[in-house]
Amino acid sequence: MKNNRIRRTLMIAVLCMTLAGSAALTGCGQTTTENSAVVSASSAAASTVTLDGADTDDSYSEADSVKITLDGTSAKAEGDGVSIDGGTVTIKAAGTYVVSGTLSDGSIVIDAGKDDQVKLVLNNADISSTSSSAIYAAKCAKTIILLAEGTTNTVSDGSSYVADSSDTETDGEDLPNAAVFVKDDLTILGEGTLNVKGNARNGITSKDTLIITGGNINITSANHGLTGKDNLHVSGGTLSITSGGDGMRSTYSDETDNDKGHVYIEGGTVNITSTKDGIQSEKNLTINGGTVNITSGSGENASEDVSRKGLKSGYAIAIGGGEVNITSPDDGIHSNDTLTVSGGKVNIKAGDDGIHADSSMTISDGTVTISEAYEGLEAETVTISGGTLDITSTDDGINCAGGDDNSGFGGMDGNMKFGGRGGGMNDVSDTAALTVSGGTVYVNAQGDGLDSNGSMDISGGTIVVNGTTQGGNGIIDHGGKMTVTGGTIVGAGTSDMLEMPDDASTEYTMVALFDNSQAAGTLVYVTDSSGKVIAAMSPEKNFGCFILTSPSLKSGETYNIYLGGTVTGESTHGYCSNGAVDGGTLFTSFTLSDKVTYVNSSGVTTYTGMGGKNFDRGQMPSGGMTPPNGMTPPDGASMPEGMTTPQGMTPPGSSDQNNT
């Protein structure tokens, strides 16, 4: 499903580094291309842009400035360095220029020396062009647009340009294509307001580095809202963007120059409503502060054929602070390589993956809430050492797998794999891994709660899973190796697909198999022989089993499981770690023996379901397997003896298949 995925041979070196003001990230290594170009994830932790005094100094001297007064279709200037030809005002020298008034059909053109710096102070200026950019810096080392305090300024272009960008071999890369178009560096700051209307294509474009440190900037654009080709750096101000393309982006793609192609946000407020991606970075995308609100894939032209992600990066994504709120019909956050969260607050509603990384995902701190998604977290490797994650998904909560993602917008691919890269009965990866050493993870999934198509290693933290009520999925699904040496796992869901920790684990696990499905909200709790509550949970969905892995479970000890009653104390998603219970009916008593002990109403029992050890993963039980009726195999394929399909389901390739 991953639209417009950038495929490279370049691998990103994941270097040890520390995000400013956040926890340290770990993991070292590097891979180079044949030309030895290496892109470091450390550049996703700190901006490659260094601000100078001019980027934050919003003062200016009236006495030392050239005053430009706009008057309909003409203008006048008080001072040197300006030429006026009808509605075209050309600035030819370094300095400060204060612009006020209205220009109904014209533009401000900066054509100064290649090493010059021009400060353009907008003081209640309204500039409209019917045939080009309203502000066009053709030559100038650095253009500074200062929005004077208390002023409202407007710039807009026409619906088409005389020098149309589509007429050039480079698709207009060096010709004006935005209401504000700057060939070199651009900084916007101040305490005033700037309203930008990009009627032809884009709102604001810098061909080099674009820096925003202040101002109230409102952009409406036919295509992209804000572009800093080399780099885009936001550390202040308020940005409100409505775009027919991407909201914000950096597009420099040359892999030999690692200092370019990045988006970095460390302050301010960014509000984006985009038809395509909210924020798109050719290389690294970093958020270390501020507030970012994104609604992507909106508008009449929001085709499923284009990328409509919230945050998208060709290399690494790092979130170390601030608040990020995303609503997207595609992935909420998508990295073509690595992703780290080491602080901040992230809230996502997504039509596909909540957070996706093609390679590795590391979460060490912060709060991540995925309230809607097909799959919550998806990467080849997911490592969680801290923070709080709250995931609701229509398929897997966390999915670790290698290879291509065939999940689409939630469905079954042609290889009969549920849940994208995970879920196939033979889909086991040597590289996929889920590692949890700390933090708190809440999952409410209709697919697998935790799914690693390789290894699963739990050494700390708390994991709570409200699992599926559907067959073919489980609370936990792994590729044959799961080791638990610390932490707590609590889960409830269906009992037909259980995969548990292996004997190498040092912690013990108990699994209660109920005779009948229990209604959502029914309290289930476990006590030791002294009556101390080990764990209590009121699952959010109907459930047929309850699992508990805990350092409090000891071999040879006797435990009691109760159903019903009430619990007092703080709970999240039904799990109460330190509550007091009252009432309930004894379901069973048992003595813990094996590393995984299954119990029913009669005491210790055995488990022989799809995830049990009575047959190897990837093999059908001897004698065939009979799932619910109604399923037939894909064209040209045959089912194992005795196996039919779920009632009402038609296989891929059939005429009745819903391809939406």
Side-chain angles (χ1 to χ4, degrees), residues 346-637:
V346 179
N347 300 297
I348 296 173
K349 293 182 180 180
D352 198 34
D353 298 338
I355 303 178
H356 174 97
D358 282 0
S359 179
S360 65
M361 184 184 304
T362 302
I363 299 174
S364 61
D365 203 351
T367 301
V368 177
T369 302
I370 301 173
S371 57
E372 295 178 16
Y374 174 61
E375 288 186 333
L377 307 182
E378 184 182 55
E380 185 174 0
T381 64
V382 175
T383 301
I384 301 168
S385 61
T388 300
L389 287 86
D390 190 333
I391 300 168
T392 301
S393 63
T394 56
D395 196 59
D396 298 344
I398 300 176
N399 180 24
C400 302
D404 292 334
D405 181 1
N406 299 309
S407 61
F409 279 96
M412 183 168 145
D413 71 14
N415 296 317
M416 295 189 65
K417 298 175 184 176
F418 291 89
R421 294 183 294 184
M425 297 193 75
N426 294 303
D427 195 10
V428 179
S429 168
D430 292 333
T431 56
L434 172 62
T435 302
V436 181
S437 60
T440 303
V441 180
Y442 299 103
V443 172
N444 186 321
Q446 278 294 24
D448 297 320
L450 309 180
D451 182 5
S452 175
N453 294 280
S455 64
M456 192 176 295
D457 186 355
I458 313 298
S459 61
T462 299
I463 300 171
V464 179
V465 178
N466 281 278
T468 183
T469 59
Q470 302 173 347
N473 292 285
I475 299 168
I476 296 172
D477 184 11
H478 56 82
K481 180 181 179 182
M482 177 183 179
T483 304
V484 181
T485 58
T488 299
I489 304 173
V490 183
T494 181
S495 61
D496 70 340
M497 186 72 180
L498 296 176
E499 294 189 355
M500 292 292 106
D502 54 37
D503 290 340
S505 300
T506 58
E507 282 196 0
Y508 287 79
T509 298
M510 55 131 288
V511 182
L513 304 171
F514 300 111
D515 301 325
N516 300 295
S517 177
Q518 304 298 311
T522 301
L523 178 66
V524 53
Y525 63 94
V526 181
T527 67
D528 62 16
S529 57
S530 69
K532 179 183 176 182
V533 177
I534 304 300
M537 183 178 183
S538 300
E540 296 177 324
K541 293 178 283 188
N542 295 348
F543 60 101
C545 76
F546 173 77
I547 69 171
L548 172 63
T549 303
S550 170
S552 298
L553 295 177
K554 306 295 182 183
S555 179
E557 297 291 328
T558 299
Y559 297 93
N560 305 303
I561 301 175
Y562 293 85
L563 283 170
T566 59
V567 60
T568 57
E570 184 178 352
S571 65
T572 304
H573 291 292
Y575 173 62
C576 188
S577 59
N578 293 299
V581 296
D582 182 40
T585 301
L586 180 67
F587 170 70
T588 194
S589 295
F590 67 97
T591 299
L592 193 72
S593 55
D594 297 333
K595 285 294 176 67
V596 179
T597 300
Y598 296 93
V599 299
N600 59 18
S601 57
S602 300
V604 175
T605 186
T606 58
Y607 173 72
T608 56
M610 289 179 66
K613 294 183 178 180
N614 59 321
F615 66 95
D616 293 334
R617 177 178 173 85
Q619 303 293 326
M620 288 293 180
S622 59
M625 178 178 174
T626 308
N629 293 329
M631 186 173 184
T632 56
D635 294 342

Side-chain angles (χ1 to χ4, degrees), residues 3-13 39 44 250-253 255 260-263 277 279-286 307 309 311-318 333-339 356-359:
N3 295 321
N4 300 332
R5 174 175 293 173
I6 303 171
R7 301 192 181 275
R8 296 179 173 86
T9 56
L10 178 66
M11 297 295 291
I12 296 178
V39 175
S250 182
T251 61
Y252 188 91
S253 60
E255 294 173 348
K260 296 180 180 180
H262 310 300
V263 174
D277 297 323
I279 301 177
Q280 192 267 124
S281 176
E282 189 69 21
K283 294 181 183 174
N284 295 340
L285 194 163
T286 303
S307 181
K309 299 169 177 63
L311 303 179
K312 185 176 76 174
S313 172
Y315 289 6
I317 292 179
I333 301 177
H334 180 102
S335 169
N336 280 8
D337 201 87
T338 65
L339 184 143
H356 174 97
D358 282 0
S359 179

Side-chain angles (χ1 to χ4, degrees), residues 167-225:
D167 294 336
T168 70
E169 292 182 0
T170 59
D171 195 25
E173 190 172 294
D174 291 322
L175 292 176
N177 61 14
V180 177
F181 183 84
V182 177
K183 279 193 173 183
D184 298 290
D185 293 340
L186 170 64
T187 294
I188 303 176
L189 74 164
E191 299 295 329
T193 296
L194 176 62
N195 299 317
V196 179
K197 298 178 181 178
N199 296 303
R201 290 181 182 82
N202 307 319
I204 299 176
T205 295
S206 166
K207 290 296 303 302
D208 286 348
T209 294
L210 174 55
I211 297 171
I212 297 176
T213 61
N216 182 22
I217 304 169
N218 306 303
I219 301 173
T220 302
S221 61
N223 198 14
H224 307 305

